[in-house]
């Protein structure tokens, strides 16, 4: 009698589930819920079938997820049983698209066929979003037919660990967040004015000195307020200059760095989630941490530089690297160690916000310009970037730079990351260069999500709907030029982010919106439908103990 009652409950609940709409983010290219077919139930006897050993990463990821959140551990086998299985099948002929997958719920199991190993992994992420979010048995999977592939090849998310340092454990969590949303690039911002975060064995002072600062600015510039004040915007009519500003810092030493062994561990972790890590080593600006350790590389070599304690680019405090042979040799040695560590084809070298005032007032800089026939400091910027690019290219790698690398002439093989609006990306695409779109007003997740946040953020506003409605391909590009838009990226700068919970709060749900604009077909995007699906995603975040912004539901 007890078994009969259980069966009735399962059938009733299963029919109810199969009739429900499926809520997957990002929205698949094609999804059909087959309400008339029986759902499939994952239980302790379900087996994950992996005939091709190359797919073991995806099987392990699914198993770890089930064990962590549902206390269910499945057997992994290379023999297909007649029933109760989740079959992972590599088949390069299933689609004309790269990294595609097909997911089918069958009477006796679940089939995920992928055109690549990554495609299989993305299918597993969709399966995870079919599992009930109440983390209780039975785990009933609705009957569906999904045919899916990514829209853009580059689906990136950035994290700044210079302003505030985050440990390896959290970096791995962050990578898992990206994996859940089918992102495939993690842009790791490892160096800046406020801290050098990567061990370079040839230059130990980079971490001995450059990884630590003696305090951090409190509140928005020039340091009035504290971390608990309400969201505020400094009046535009108030002009604050470095000369008359009084900077208020907390006087608390902050820092940290990753050893090369830790970085190898994180790279391996990301690779198993089909995420490529792109390291960023900033130059020629945003280099105060480097100059604090090796002042001879600056335009004022006899000056005692300090790791920056205040945010922003204020000319009084932010020097740049001298474009000398000594500097280039130093950077080549640094980049050699970085490129030996990271298997990524791409190395981000920054190139943004380089104040020309330092080169203008430096006699050595002027001599370098004269010796190389450079007309102005913008051409010196281009000379700097192109010289670094030539070295990186000699190692078989490609540089990415912020859109300022266009100044004075774009390096021959560079990829442009457009943050100051879309202009840089458009210009790069027209010059037949790859471009990654990350315009600050849409894609900077350190901005407030609402006009009144409950903690301090950057003073600009990037609400969820603006992120979701962003189209990475500018309308003015021709079809051929549009093909150079490699994809898009969200950026998370950590000036006002001191702990993992706040990273999560600013990341979610904007990461959901980002994933959909980069993965889903353009004609599938629908904001009201996205909001509906987001409610299920929030239940999943609750189960995963993720902090997220709920305020938009109240507006």
């Amino acid at each position: 009698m007890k078994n009969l009652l259980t069966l009735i409950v399962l059938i009733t609940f299963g029919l109810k589930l199969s009739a429900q709409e499926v809520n997957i983010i990002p929205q698949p290219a094609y999804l059909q819920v087959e309400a008339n077919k029986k759902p499939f139930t994952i239980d302790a006897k379900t087996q994950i079938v992996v005939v091709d050993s190359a797919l073991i990463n995806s099987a392990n990821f699914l198993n770890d997820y089930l064990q962590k959140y549902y206390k269910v551990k499945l057997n992994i086998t290379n023999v297909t049983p007649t029933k109760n299985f989740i079959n992972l099948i590599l088949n390069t002929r299933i689609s004309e698209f790269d990294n595609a997958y097909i997911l089918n719920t069958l009477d006796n199991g679940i089939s995920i066929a992928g055109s690549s190993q990554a495609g299989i992994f993305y299918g597993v992420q969709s399966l995870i979003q079919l599992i009930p979010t109440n983390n209780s048995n039975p785990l009933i999977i609705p009957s569906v037919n999904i045919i899916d592939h990514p829209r853009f090849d580059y689906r990136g998310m950035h994290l700044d660990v210079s302003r505030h340092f985050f440990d390896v454990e959290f970096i791995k969590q962050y990578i898992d967040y990206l994996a859940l949303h089918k992102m495939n690039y993690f842009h790791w911002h490892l160096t800046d004015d406020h801290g050098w975060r990567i061990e370079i064995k040839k230059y130990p002072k980079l971490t001995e000195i450059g990884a630590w600062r003696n305090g951090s600015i409190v509140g928005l510039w020039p340091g009035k307020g504290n971390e608990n004040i309400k969201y505020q915007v400094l009046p535009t009519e108030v002009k604050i200059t470095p000369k008359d500003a009084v900077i208020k810092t907390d006087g608390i030493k902050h820092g940290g760095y990753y050893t090369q062994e830790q970085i190898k561990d994180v790279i391996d972790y990301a690779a198993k989630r089909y995420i490529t890590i792109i390291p960023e080593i900033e130059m020629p600006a945003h280099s105060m941490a480097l100059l604090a350790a090796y002042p001879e590389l600056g335009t004022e070599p006899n000056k005692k530089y300090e790791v920056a304690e205040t945010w922003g680019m204020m000319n009084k405090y932010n020097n740049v690297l001298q474009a000398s042979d000594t500097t280039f040799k130093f950077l080549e040695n640094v980049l050699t160690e970085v490129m030996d560590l990271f298997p990524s084809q791409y190395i981000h070298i920054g190139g943004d916000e380089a104040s020309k005032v330092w080169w203008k007032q430096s006699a050595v800089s002027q001599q370098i310009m004269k010796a190389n026939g450079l007309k102005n400091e913008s051409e010196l910027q281009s000379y700097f970037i192109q010289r670094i690019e030539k070295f990186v290219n000699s190692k078989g790698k490609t540089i990415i730079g912020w859109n300022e690398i266009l100044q004075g002439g774009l390096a021959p093989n560079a990829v442009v990351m457009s943050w100051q609006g879309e202009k840089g990306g458009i210009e790069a695409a027209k010059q037949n260069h790859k471009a990654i779109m990350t315009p600050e007003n849409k894609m900077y997740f350190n901005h407030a999500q609402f006009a009144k946040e409950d903690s301090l953020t950057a003073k600009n506003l990037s609400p969820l709907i603006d992120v979701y409605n962003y189209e990475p391909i500018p309308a003015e590009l021709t079809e051929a030029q549009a093909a150079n838009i490699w994809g898009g990226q969200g950026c998370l700068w950590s000036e006002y982010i001191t702990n993992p919970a706040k990273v999560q709060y600013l990341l979610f749900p904007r990461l959901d919106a980002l994933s959909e604009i980069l993965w889903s077909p353009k004609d599938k995007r629908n904001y009201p439908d996205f909001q509906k699906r987001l409610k299920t995603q929030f239940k999943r975040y609750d189960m995963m103990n993720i902090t997220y912004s709920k305020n938009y539901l109240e507006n």
Side-chain angles (χ1 to χ4, degrees):
M1 184 66 182
K2 183 178 178 182
N3 290 338
L4 179 61
L5 183 61
T6 302
L7 180 61
I8 292 172
V9 170
L10 282 172
I11 293 173
T12 303
F13 184 49
L15 290 174
K16 182 180 178 182
L17 237 179
S18 66
Q20 292 176 346
E21 293 185 11
V22 172
N23 297 307
I24 294 177
I25 297 175
Q27 179 78 279
Y30 173 83
L31 187 155
Q32 180 183 15
V33 179
E34 300 175 320
N36 296 326
K37 289 189 177 182
K38 186 175 69 174
F40 175 75
T41 301
I42 297 175
D43 58 31
K45 294 183 180 180
T46 303
Q47 298 190 74
I48 303 175
V49 181
V50 179
V51 175
D52 189 331
S53 61
L55 306 181
I56 196 68
N57 284 335
S58 294
N60 286 337
F61 187 94
L62 175 60
N63 219 2
D64 290 345
Y65 184 89
L66 289 170
Q67 190 171 11
K68 183 173 183 178
Y69 296 110
Y70 298 93
K71 310 303 180 187
V72 175
K73 184 175 183 180
L74 306 184
N75 180 52
I76 299 176
T77 179
N78 59 4
V79 178
T80 305
T82 57
K83 61 180 180 178
N84 203 5
F85 58 82
I86 300 171
N87 198 357
L88 308 183
I89 306 164
L90 184 62
N91 184 346
T92 58
R93 295 173 294 178
I94 66 164
S95 175
E96 62 183 299
F97 299 102
D98 293 336
N99 301 321
Y101 70 91
I102 297 174
L103 190 159
N104 286 309
T105 309
L106 312 170
D107 291 340
N108 55 349
I110 293 173
S111 169
I112 301 176
S115 64
S116 65
Q117 294 178 38
I120 293 286
F121 186 78
Y122 300 141
V124 166
Q125 304 316 306
S126 290
L127 173 58
I128 283 172
Q129 293 195 44
L130 296 174
I131 302 172
T133 55
N134 57 7
N135 70 4
S136 62
N137 290 321
L139 303 182
I140 298 178
I141 310 301
S143 183
V144 296
N145 179 20
I146 298 173
I147 303 173
D148 201 11
H149 62 271
R151 180 186 177 195
F152 289 101
D153 290 336
Y154 185 101
R155 304 179 304 283
M157 190 64 216
H158 155 287
L159 182 64
D160 164 27
V161 296
S162 175
R163 273 79 173 189
H164 284 99
F165 178 74
F166 299 97
D167 64 20
V168 167
E169 181 181 1
F170 180 70
I171 296 299
K172 289 181 176 180
Q173 287 181 26
Y174 195 83
I175 289 169
D176 280 340
Y177 302 153
L178 305 191
L180 182 65
H181 293 80
K182 302 185 176 78
M183 309 295 281
N184 64 342
Y185 282 92
F186 171 40
H187 175 178
W188 204 357
H189 189 82
L190 289 164
T191 74
D192 212 298
D193 292 319
H194 312 90
W196 185 282
R197 306 293 179 217
I198 175 173
E199 177 190 23
I200 302 297
K201 294 185 184 295
K202 190 173 183 67
Y203 302 114
K205 287 193 290 186
L206 285 172
T207 46
E208 291 172 2
I209 297 173
W212 307 92
R213 64 174 180 267
N214 293 323
S216 306
I217 187 173
V218 179
L220 296 172
W221 177 271
K224 297 177 181 178
N226 58 64
E227 282 291 315
N228 297 313
I229 64 173
K230 293 291 185 180
Y231 168 79
Q232 60 175 291
V233 177
L234 292 178
T236 55
E237 66 271 14
V238 176
K239 302 297 182 183
I240 301 173
T241 66
K243 184 178 178 181
D244 58 21
V246 177
I247 301 171
K248 180 182 177 183
T249 65
D250 56 19
I252 300 172
K253 189 173 183 178
H254 178 84
Y257 66 92
Y258 309 102
T259 67
Q260 292 195 5
E261 287 305 308
Q262 287 176 319
I263 286 174
K264 289 176 184 177
D265 180 42
V266 171
I267 291 169
D268 181 65
Y269 189 87
K272 290 176 179 176
R273 286 143 181 82
Y274 302 94
I275 291 173
T276 299
I277 299 180
I278 296 178
E280 181 175 3
I281 307 298
E282 274 275 11
M283 62 185 81
H286 288 284
S287 296
M288 294 302 292
L290 185 160
L291 291 174
Y294 296 93
E296 64 271 21
L297 303 180
T299 62
E300 300 174 291
N302 297 319
K303 180 178 178 179
K304 187 182 186 310
Y305 297 103
E306 294 182 353
V307 180
E309 298 180 30
T310 180
W311 322 130
M313 294 301 297
M314 308 303 292
N315 289 344
K316 182 178 179 181
Y317 307 105
N318 301 95
N319 209 306
V320 297
L321 297 174
Q322 185 70 276
S324 65
D325 289 341
T326 301
T327 298
F328 287 121
K329 184 60 179 176
F330 181 95
L331 292 174
E332 287 172 4
N333 290 335
V334 168
L335 288 171
T336 295
E337 291 195 32
V338 171
M339 289 186 285
D340 286 346
L341 271 177
F342 288 88
S344 167
Q345 173 65 36
Y346 300 91
I347 304 296
H348 203 303
I349 50 84
D352 62 311
E353 297 184 316
S355 175
K356 309 302 186 293
V357 65
W358 301 106
W359 289 330
K360 284 182 179 179
Q361 67 185 33
S362 166
V364 174
S365 294
Q366 295 302 309
Q367 290 170 4
I368 291 170
M369 289 170 57
K370 184 177 181 180
N372 289 278
L374 306 174
K375 298 175 184 177
N376 53 47
E377 286 73 23
S378 290
E379 289 193 4
L380 180 58
Q381 158 108 352
S382 179
Y383 167 80
F384 194 109
I385 298 301
Q386 291 196 35
R387 185 155 171 178
I388 290 297
E389 184 195 48
K390 185 176 180 180
F391 174 75
V392 171
N393 289 168
S394 75
K395 301 294 185 179
K397 305 278 188 175
T398 304
I399 68 166
I400 300 176
W402 301 107
N403 54 251
E404 288 95 328
I405 68 172
L406 286 156
Q407 295 173 3
L410 184 56
N413 305 305
V415 178
V416 173
M417 188 169 278
S418 189
W419 74 277
Q420 293 174 314
E422 295 185 321
K423 184 179 178 181
I426 292 169
E427 187 176 343
K430 287 182 176 179
Q431 293 184 35
N432 204 31
H433 284 251
K434 279 185 178 180
I436 300 165
M437 307 304 283
T438 179
E440 180 182 13
N441 63 333
K442 307 284 187 182
M443 299 284 102
Y444 272 31
F445 296 171
N446 53 304
H447 291 174
Q449 300 178 76
F450 304 94
K452 292 185 178 180
E453 288 282 14
D454 57 5
S455 63
L456 191 63
T457 68
K459 65 180 182 179
N460 298 314
L461 191 64
S462 296
L464 179 68
I465 189 170
D466 285 1
V467 176
Y468 189 84
N469 288 333
Y470 177 63
E471 169 51 41
I473 298 181
E476 69 181 80
L477 295 180
T478 66
E479 185 176 350
Q481 292 165 348
N484 292 320
I485 303 299
W486 192 16
Q489 176 174 290
C491 291
L492 194 51
W493 303 96
S494 65
E495 287 94 335
Y496 307 109
I497 306 174
T498 60
N499 59 77
K502 191 161 182 181
V503 172
Q504 295 170 349
Y505 173 82
L506 291 172
L507 188 64
F508 299 109
R510 288 183 287 194
L511 177 61
D512 296 89
L514 176 67
S515 73
E516 193 142 308
I517 69 174
L518 297 177
W519 178 278
S520 305
K522 184 179 178 181
D523 61 5
K524 288 286 185 179
R525 280 162 47 195
N526 180 304
Y527 188 66
D529 180 68
F530 170 74
Q531 287 180 297
K532 176 182 65 66
R533 284 180 283 121
L534 202 53
K535 292 177 182 178
T536 300
Q537 190 79 312
F538 282 173
K539 293 177 182 178
R540 186 170 297 106
Y541 293 159
D542 288 336
M543 183 183 72
M544 298 172 71
N545 198 30
I546 291 175
T547 302
Y548 56 91
S549 175
K550 306 175 185 178
N551 293 341
Y552 87 96
L553 296 173
E554 302 168 4
N555 287 269

